[in-house]
Amino acid sequence: MIKINLTAEQRTEIEKMITKDIKKNSYPEIEKICNYLNDANFIKTAEFIDTEEKVIKICLLSSKTDLIDFQKKINKAYEEDSKWKCSCLIDRTREYIKDELENLYLKFSNRNAAYNILRIMKVNVCPYCNRQYTFTIRTKTSKKIGEKIVKTDLKSRPEFDHFFPKSDYPFLALSIYNLVPSCSLCNKGKSNTPSENFLYPYEESFGDKGIHFEIQNVIGNLLKQEEIIVKLQSAKKNQDLIKQYNDSFKIESLYEQHVDYISELLYKNYIFNDEAIESIYRSYEKLFKSPSELKQLILGNYKSDNFNQRPLSKLTNDILHQLNCK
Ligand SMILES: [Zn+2]
Protein backbone atom coordinates (compact mmCIF):
# COMPACT_ATOMS: atom_id res chain seq x y z
CA MET A 1 0.00 0.00 0.00
CA ILE A 2 2.73 2.49 0.93
CA LYS A 3 6.24 2.64 -0.46
CA ILE A 4 9.44 1.90 1.44
CA ASN A 5 11.55 4.83 0.32
CA LEU A 6 15.18 3.98 0.91
CA THR A 7 17.86 6.55 0.18
CA ALA A 8 21.07 5.63 -1.65
CA GLU A 9 22.93 5.96 1.67
CA GLN A 10 20.52 3.57 3.41
CA ARG A 11 20.90 1.04 0.59
CA THR A 12 24.69 1.23 0.76
CA GLU A 13 24.68 0.65 4.52
CA ILE A 14 22.19 -2.24 4.27
CA GLU A 15 24.18 -3.88 1.49
CA LYS A 16 27.44 -3.54 3.41
CA MET A 17 25.85 -5.20 6.41
CA ILE A 18 24.26 -8.10 4.53
CA THR A 19 27.50 -8.75 2.61
CA LYS A 20 29.45 -8.95 5.86
CA ASP A 21 26.86 -11.29 7.37
CA ILE A 22 26.83 -13.63 4.35
CA LYS A 23 30.62 -13.87 4.29
CA LYS A 24 30.78 -14.64 7.99
CA ASN A 25 27.68 -16.76 8.58
CA SER A 26 25.62 -17.88 5.59
CA TYR A 27 28.10 -18.69 2.84
CA PRO A 28 29.88 -21.56 4.64
CA GLU A 29 26.49 -23.28 4.92
CA ILE A 30 25.49 -22.44 1.36
CA GLU A 31 28.69 -24.18 0.26
CA LYS A 32 27.26 -27.37 1.79
CA ILE A 33 24.06 -26.95 -0.27
CA CYS A 34 26.21 -26.46 -3.35
CA ASN A 35 28.15 -29.67 -2.62
CA TYR A 36 24.90 -31.56 -2.11
CA LEU A 37 23.61 -30.33 -5.47
CA ASN A 38 26.83 -31.32 -7.22
CA ASP A 39 26.74 -34.78 -5.63
CA ALA A 40 23.12 -35.24 -6.76
CA ASN A 41 24.20 -34.12 -10.23
CA PHE A 42 22.19 -30.86 -10.14
CA ILE A 43 25.21 -29.11 -11.62
CA LYS A 44 23.50 -26.27 -13.49
CA THR A 45 21.59 -25.28 -10.34
CA ALA A 46 24.72 -25.52 -8.21
CA GLU A 47 26.53 -23.15 -10.57
CA PHE A 48 24.36 -20.28 -9.31
CA ILE A 49 25.74 -20.59 -5.77
CA ASP A 50 29.25 -21.93 -6.23
CA THR A 51 31.09 -18.77 -5.23
CA GLU A 52 30.69 -16.27 -2.40
CA GLU A 53 30.43 -13.51 -4.96
CA LYS A 54 27.44 -15.12 -6.70
CA VAL A 55 25.61 -15.67 -3.41
CA ILE A 56 26.15 -12.04 -2.41
CA LYS A 57 24.79 -10.97 -5.78
CA ILE A 58 21.60 -13.00 -5.21
CA CYS A 59 21.17 -11.49 -1.77
CA LEU A 60 21.51 -7.97 -3.18
CA LEU A 61 19.08 -8.28 -6.12
CA SER A 62 17.41 -4.92 -5.81
CA SER A 63 14.36 -4.76 -8.05
CA LYS A 64 11.22 -6.77 -8.67
CA THR A 65 12.34 -7.47 -12.23
CA ASP A 66 15.78 -8.69 -11.12
CA LEU A 67 14.23 -10.97 -8.49
CA ILE A 68 11.82 -12.47 -11.04
CA ASP A 69 14.52 -12.84 -13.72
CA PHE A 70 16.84 -14.62 -11.34
CA GLN A 71 14.09 -16.99 -10.25
CA LYS A 72 13.25 -17.80 -13.89
CA LYS A 73 16.90 -18.60 -14.62
CA ILE A 74 17.35 -20.87 -11.63
CA ASN A 75 14.02 -22.62 -12.31
CA LYS A 76 15.17 -23.30 -15.85
CA ALA A 77 18.49 -24.68 -14.59
CA TYR A 78 16.65 -26.90 -12.09
CA GLU A 79 14.35 -28.19 -14.80
CA GLU A 80 17.31 -29.02 -17.05
CA ASP A 81 19.09 -30.74 -14.16
CA SER A 82 15.92 -32.74 -13.48
CA LYS A 83 15.82 -34.30 -16.94
CA TRP A 84 16.18 -38.08 -16.91
CA LYS A 85 16.20 -38.18 -13.11
CA CYS A 86 13.69 -40.09 -10.99
CA SER A 87 10.92 -38.00 -9.51
CA CYS A 88 11.83 -38.97 -5.94
CA LEU A 89 15.34 -37.47 -6.35
CA ILE A 90 13.87 -34.31 -7.89
CA ASP A 91 11.40 -33.92 -5.01
CA ARG A 92 13.96 -34.78 -2.34
CA THR A 93 16.45 -32.26 -3.71
CA ARG A 94 13.79 -29.55 -3.88
CA GLU A 95 12.77 -30.26 -0.26
CA TYR A 96 16.40 -30.24 0.85
CA ILE A 97 17.07 -26.85 -0.78
CA LYS A 98 13.87 -25.42 0.73
CA ASP A 99 14.57 -26.69 4.26
CA GLU A 100 18.23 -25.66 4.28
CA LEU A 101 17.59 -22.15 2.98
CA GLU A 102 14.62 -21.67 5.27
CA ASN A 103 16.84 -22.66 8.15
CA LEU A 104 19.52 -20.22 7.05
CA TYR A 105 16.93 -17.46 6.91
CA LEU A 106 15.71 -18.28 10.44
CA LYS A 107 19.24 -18.05 11.79
CA PHE A 108 19.78 -14.75 9.97
CA SER A 109 16.52 -13.29 11.28
CA ASN A 110 17.70 -13.85 14.85
CA ARG A 111 21.12 -12.32 14.41
CA ASN A 112 22.04 -8.74 15.23
CA ALA A 113 22.56 -8.11 11.51
CA ALA A 114 18.81 -8.46 10.87
CA TYR A 115 18.00 -6.01 13.65
CA ASN A 116 20.64 -3.57 12.44
CA ILE A 117 19.34 -3.72 8.88
CA LEU A 118 15.80 -3.06 10.10
CA ARG A 119 17.02 -0.11 12.12
CA ILE A 120 18.66 1.34 9.01
CA MET A 121 15.49 0.75 6.94
CA LYS A 122 13.48 2.68 9.52
CA VAL A 123 10.17 1.28 8.32
CA ASN A 124 8.20 2.35 11.36
CA VAL A 125 4.80 1.32 10.03
CA CYS A 126 3.73 -1.79 8.12
CA PRO A 127 3.84 -0.99 4.38
CA TYR A 128 1.00 -3.40 3.55
CA CYS A 129 -1.65 -1.98 5.89
CA ASN A 130 -0.20 1.35 7.10
CA ARG A 131 -1.95 0.64 10.42
CA GLN A 132 0.52 -1.04 12.77
CA TYR A 133 3.76 0.34 14.15
CA THR A 134 6.75 -1.87 13.33
CA PHE A 135 9.57 -0.49 15.48
CA THR A 136 12.81 -2.40 15.92
CA ILE A 137 14.58 -2.60 19.26
CA ARG A 138 17.13 -4.94 20.76
CA THR A 139 18.73 -4.34 24.12
CA LYS A 140 20.81 -6.80 26.03
CA THR A 141 21.08 -6.16 29.75
CA SER A 142 22.45 -8.05 32.70
CA LYS A 143 21.24 -7.68 36.24
CA LYS A 144 22.58 -9.13 39.48
CA ILE A 145 19.83 -10.88 41.42
CA GLY A 146 21.33 -12.22 44.66
CA GLU A 147 24.42 -14.12 43.61
CA LYS A 148 23.19 -14.75 40.08
CA ILE A 149 23.71 -12.59 37.00
CA VAL A 150 20.54 -12.64 34.91
CA LYS A 151 20.91 -11.70 31.27
CA THR A 152 17.93 -10.34 29.37
CA ASP A 153 17.61 -9.93 25.62
CA LEU A 154 14.74 -7.51 25.07
CA LYS A 155 13.81 -7.56 21.43
CA SER A 156 11.01 -6.50 19.16
CA ARG A 157 10.98 -6.18 15.40
CA PRO A 158 8.59 -6.37 12.48
CA GLU A 159 8.20 -9.74 10.81
CA PHE A 160 9.89 -10.22 7.46
CA ASP A 161 7.42 -11.03 4.75
CA HIS A 162 9.12 -12.82 1.88
CA PHE A 163 7.58 -10.93 -1.03
CA PHE A 164 8.35 -13.95 -3.21
CA PRO A 165 7.58 -16.72 -0.67
CA LYS A 166 10.53 -18.80 0.48
CA SER A 167 8.54 -22.00 -0.09
CA ASP A 168 8.31 -21.31 -3.84
CA TYR A 169 11.45 -19.18 -4.23
CA PRO A 170 13.93 -20.72 -1.75
CA PHE A 171 16.99 -19.10 -3.34
CA LEU A 172 15.50 -15.68 -2.55
CA ALA A 173 15.09 -16.53 1.15
CA LEU A 174 18.01 -14.28 2.10
CA SER A 175 17.66 -11.63 -0.61
CA ILE A 176 17.33 -8.48 1.39
CA TYR A 177 15.00 -6.69 -1.05
CA ASN A 178 12.73 -9.72 -1.04
CA LEU A 179 12.24 -9.16 2.68
CA VAL A 180 9.48 -6.71 3.50
CA PRO A 181 9.27 -5.58 7.13
CA SER A 182 5.61 -5.98 7.99
CA CYS A 183 3.15 -6.56 10.82
CA SER A 184 2.30 -10.16 11.70
CA LEU A 185 -1.32 -9.80 10.58
CA CYS A 186 -0.30 -8.78 7.05
CA ASN A 187 2.50 -11.35 6.90
CA LYS A 188 -0.04 -14.07 7.65
CA GLY A 189 -2.66 -12.55 5.36
CA LYS A 190 -0.34 -12.51 2.39
CA SER A 191 1.27 -15.89 2.92
CA ASN A 192 -0.85 -18.04 0.60
CA THR A 193 -1.38 -15.60 -2.22
CA PRO A 194 0.80 -15.33 -5.34
CA SER A 195 3.11 -12.33 -5.16
CA GLU A 196 2.17 -10.98 -8.58
CA ASN A 197 -1.18 -9.96 -7.05
CA PHE A 198 0.50 -7.40 -4.77
CA LEU A 199 2.43 -4.20 -5.21
CA TYR A 200 6.14 -4.58 -4.49
CA PRO A 201 6.66 -2.13 -1.59
CA TYR A 202 10.25 -1.19 -2.48
CA GLU A 203 8.98 0.20 -5.79
CA GLU A 204 5.21 0.58 -5.86
CA SER A 205 2.42 2.10 -3.81
CA PHE A 206 -1.33 2.71 -3.90
CA GLY A 207 -0.57 6.36 -4.61
CA ASP A 208 1.30 5.45 -7.83
CA LYS A 209 -1.75 3.53 -9.01
CA GLY A 210 -4.20 6.28 -8.09
CA ILE A 211 -5.77 4.12 -5.39
CA HIS A 212 -7.13 6.18 -2.52
CA PHE A 213 -9.40 5.99 0.50
CA GLU A 214 -12.79 7.62 0.26
CA ILE A 215 -15.11 8.10 3.18
CA GLN A 216 -18.86 8.19 2.82
CA ASN A 217 -21.50 9.81 5.07
CA VAL A 218 -19.31 12.79 6.07
CA ILE A 219 -22.15 15.20 6.88
CA GLY A 220 -24.25 12.47 8.51
CA ASN A 221 -21.31 11.60 10.75
CA LEU A 222 -20.69 15.24 11.74
CA LEU A 223 -24.38 15.44 12.66
CA LYS A 224 -23.99 12.15 14.56
CA GLN A 225 -26.69 10.52 12.45
CA GLU A 226 -24.75 8.12 10.24
CA GLU A 227 -21.83 5.72 10.50
CA ILE A 228 -18.71 6.36 8.46
CA ILE A 229 -18.07 4.01 5.54
CA VAL A 230 -14.49 3.59 4.28
CA LYS A 231 -13.88 2.52 0.69
CA LEU A 232 -10.82 2.12 -1.49
CA GLN A 233 -11.41 3.83 -4.82
CA SER A 234 -9.59 3.74 -8.12
CA ALA A 235 -9.94 3.41 -11.85
CA LYS A 236 -11.64 0.19 -13.04
CA LYS A 237 -8.34 -1.42 -14.06
CA ASN A 238 -7.22 -1.55 -10.42
CA GLN A 239 -10.38 -3.13 -9.00
CA ASP A 240 -8.79 -6.60 -8.88
CA LEU A 241 -5.85 -5.20 -6.96
CA ILE A 242 -8.17 -3.55 -4.42
CA LYS A 243 -10.10 -6.81 -4.07
CA GLN A 244 -6.83 -8.65 -3.43
CA TYR A 245 -5.80 -6.22 -0.67
CA ASN A 246 -9.25 -6.51 0.90
CA ASP A 247 -9.21 -10.31 0.71
CA SER A 248 -5.70 -10.72 2.09
CA PHE A 249 -5.31 -7.78 4.46
CA LYS A 250 -8.99 -6.93 5.16
CA ILE A 251 -8.16 -3.28 4.49
CA GLU A 252 -11.66 -1.75 4.26
CA SER A 253 -13.06 -3.81 7.15
CA LEU A 254 -10.14 -2.94 9.41
CA TYR A 255 -10.14 0.72 8.44
CA GLU A 256 -13.82 0.98 9.31
CA GLN A 257 -12.79 0.15 12.88
CA HIS A 258 -10.98 3.49 12.99
CA VAL A 259 -14.24 5.48 13.08
CA ASP A 260 -13.19 7.41 16.20
CA TYR A 261 -10.02 8.60 14.48
CA ILE A 262 -11.86 9.48 11.26
CA SER A 263 -14.61 11.28 13.13
CA GLU A 264 -12.03 13.32 15.08
CA LEU A 265 -10.29 14.23 11.85
CA LEU A 266 -13.57 15.43 10.32
CA TYR A 267 -14.19 17.70 13.32
CA LYS A 268 -10.61 19.01 13.34
CA ASN A 269 -10.80 19.80 9.65
CA TYR A 270 -14.12 21.60 10.19
CA ILE A 271 -12.97 23.59 13.26
CA PHE A 272 -9.47 24.47 12.06
CA ASN A 273 -10.58 26.16 8.87
CA ASP A 274 -8.33 28.69 7.09
CA GLU A 275 -9.59 31.56 9.24
CA ALA A 276 -8.91 29.72 12.52
CA ILE A 277 -5.46 28.62 11.31
CA GLU A 278 -4.53 32.20 10.29
CA SER A 279 -5.46 33.44 13.73
CA ILE A 280 -3.46 30.72 15.58
CA TYR A 281 -0.54 31.22 13.19
CA ARG A 282 -0.28 34.90 14.15
CA SER A 283 0.43 33.81 17.75
CA TYR A 284 3.11 31.30 16.76
CA GLU A 285 4.71 32.88 13.71
CA LYS A 286 8.23 32.10 14.92
CA LEU A 287 7.51 28.38 15.17
CA PHE A 288 6.09 27.76 11.70
CA LYS A 289 7.16 28.69 8.20
CA SER A 290 3.56 29.15 7.02
CA PRO A 291 -0.07 28.67 8.07
CA SER A 292 -0.20 25.49 5.99
CA GLU A 293 2.70 24.01 7.99
CA LEU A 294 0.73 24.72 11.18
CA LYS A 295 -2.38 23.12 9.66
CA GLN A 296 -0.39 20.01 8.74
CA LEU A 297 0.75 19.70 12.33
CA ILE A 298 -2.74 20.13 13.80
CA LEU A 299 -4.30 17.62 11.42
CA GLY A 300 -1.33 15.21 11.51
CA ASN A 301 -1.09 15.24 7.74
CA TYR A 302 2.09 13.61 6.41
CA LYS A 303 3.44 13.87 2.88
CA SER A 304 3.62 10.62 0.88
CA ASP A 305 7.43 10.37 1.28
CA ASN A 306 6.88 10.04 5.03
CA PHE A 307 3.84 7.75 5.03
CA ASN A 308 5.90 4.97 6.56
CA GLN A 309 6.58 7.02 9.68
CA ARG A 310 3.06 7.02 11.10
CA PRO A 311 0.02 4.71 11.02
CA LEU A 312 -3.02 5.84 9.02
CA SER A 313 -0.98 8.51 7.24
CA LYS A 314 -2.34 7.51 3.82
CA LEU A 315 -5.92 7.51 5.13
CA THR A 316 -5.40 10.94 6.74
CA ASN A 317 -3.92 12.40 3.59
CA ASP A 318 -6.68 10.98 1.39
CA ILE A 319 -9.50 12.16 3.67
CA LEU A 320 -8.13 15.70 3.86
CA HIS A 321 -7.68 15.70 0.10
CA GLN A 322 -11.29 14.55 -0.31
CA LEU A 323 -12.66 17.17 2.10
CA ASN A 324 -10.63 20.12 0.90
CA CYS A 325 -10.78 19.58 -2.83
CA LYS A 326 -14.53 19.73 -3.25
ZN1 LIG B 1 0.23 -4.68 8.30
Side-chain angles (χ1 to χ4, degrees), residues 20 25-26 37 71 73 88 115 124 127 132 147 155 168 188 199 201 214 231 247 254-255 293:
K20 198 173 150 197
N25 301 298
S26 306
L37 288 171
Q71 189 58 35
K73 280 182 198 153
C88 62
Y115 285 80
N124 289 341
Q132 310 266 22
E147 289 302 300
K155 51 187 180 179
D168 299 332
K188 277 188 204 85
L199 299 174
E214 190 184 280
K231 290 275 169 222
D247 288 347
L254 283 169
Y255 269 76
E293 192 187 316

Side-chain angles (χ1 to χ4, degrees), residues 137-183:
I137 50 162
R138 184 165 205 176
T139 21
K140 289 181 181 176
T141 51
S142 50
K143 211 162 52 177
K144 205 173 174 191
I145 302 176
E147 289 302 300
K148 275 188 184 167
I149 297 203
V150 180
K151 288 183 178 171
T152 342
D153 187 4
L154 179 72
K155 51 187 180 179
S156 174
R157 64 161 176 81
E159 292 189 359
F160 276 125
D161 166 59
H162 284 78
F163 187 78
F164 294 103
K166 52 187 183 311
S167 50
D168 299 332
Y169 303 80
F171 287 97
L172 300 179
L174 288 168
S175 296
I176 199 65
Y177 299 114
N178 187 38
L179 304 183
V180 178
S182 63
C183 75

Side-chain angles (χ1 to χ4, degrees), residues 126-132 182-187 249:
C126 173
Y128 291 123
C129 66
N130 191 222
R131 288 179 61 248
Q132 310 266 22
S182 63
C183 75
S184 56
L185 203 63
C186 289
N187 193 17
F249 305 129

